[in-house]
Amino acid sequence: MAEGSVSLEDVKTSFQKFAVHGDTKATGKEMNGKNFAKLCKDCHITDGKNVTTTDVDIVFSKVKAKSARVITFEQFNQALTELAPKRFKGKNQEESLQQLYGLIVGKDPANVGITKAAKAGAVDRLTDVSKYTGSHKERFDEAGKGKGKAGREDMPDTSGYVAAYKGSGTYDDKVKEA
């Protein structure tokens, strides 16, 4: 990689993407420690040998203000300046910093390891209500939506009339006439 081949604007774009990751209220101007650690992990700055997650947390604590919980882009650059010689041993400061920028540019926060709903053929077949039979079929309407308690239990008729009586609900009309 030639010196000066990575622009700070590209690094700032990646910084903003990671800064807003997982935080709906974030503006992209400041990054918290969790997202800084995620950036270092996703961009392979932490290699487990030269730079560990502990190193990343220590550098974050060094560059942030005493009472602050976030770092700005300038402090982010300062943190990378401290991490670069550790990550790329045997190279000068500027060369190692440019290589570190090269790792960051164009990267987005990865969503690896996030739980997704399992879609297996057996699950689809077992949860298809159109194939239900018997008493289970009564628990769902034609659209496949559950009926709730009415579908689970026989609701007793508490109207006071015998079942299947043709004149049910006419008593009040007869009493008013008389």
Side-chain angles (χ1 to χ4, degrees):
M1 229 181 235
E3 284 210 37
S5 61
V6 178
S7 75
L8 275 180
E9 281 304 312
D10 295 336
V11 176
K12 188 165 188 161
T13 303
S14 291
F15 170 83
Q16 289 168 343
K17 286 179 184 175
F18 278 93
V20 298
H21 180 72
D23 188 4
T24 55
K25 293 180 224 142
T27 60
K29 291 179 172 54
E30 297 175 324
M31 180 183 287
N32 61 21
K34 177 182 71 80
N35 287 356
F36 180 67
K38 180 168 181 54
L39 179 138
C40 291
K41 182 176 165 248
D42 289 354
C43 296
H44 304 292
I45 294 171
T46 54
D47 57 0
K49 198 185 291 184
N50 297 328
V51 179
T52 62
T53 53
T54 307
D55 295 329
V56 169
D57 291 337
I58 290 169
V59 167
F60 182 83
S61 295
K62 269 188 202 174
V63 298
K64 74 175 180 63
K66 279 275 189 236
S67 61
R69 303 177 119 201
V70 292
I71 59 173
T72 62
F73 184 67
E74 289 74 28
Q75 292 168 324
F76 172 74
N77 277 334
Q78 186 182 344
L80 292 182
T81 307
E82 289 192 32
L83 286 173
K86 284 183 118 180
R87 176 66 168 86
F88 300 104
K89 290 191 187 308
K91 299 197 175 178
N92 69 27
Q93 179 75 24
E94 185 59 36
E95 211 174 83
S96 58
L97 188 60
Q98 281 299 316
Q99 282 194 320
L100 204 61
Y101 285 163
L103 290 174
I104 295 170
V105 169
K107 295 280 176 50
D108 292 334
N111 288 332
V112 177
I114 293 177
T115 307
K116 293 185 176 92
K119 276 288 189 184
V123 174
D124 289 338
R125 200 171 56 248
L126 291 171
T127 57
D128 185 5
V129 296
S130 66
K131 295 183 175 139
Y132 287 179
T133 59
S135 63
H136 302 290
K137 191 176 192 175
E138 302 300 320
R139 294 178 55 199
F140 300 92
D141 60 12
E142 295 78 32
K145 185 144 172 55
K147 292 181 181 176
K149 189 173 180 182
R152 290 191 303 272
E153 299 175 359
D154 285 335
M155 303 302 279
D157 182 19
T158 57
S159 65
Y161 289 97
V162 180
Y165 176 62
K166 290 178 187 160
S168 66
T170 60
Y171 178 76
D172 291 333
D173 295 337
K174 291 181 181 177
V175 172
K176 285 181 187 173
E177 289 176 8

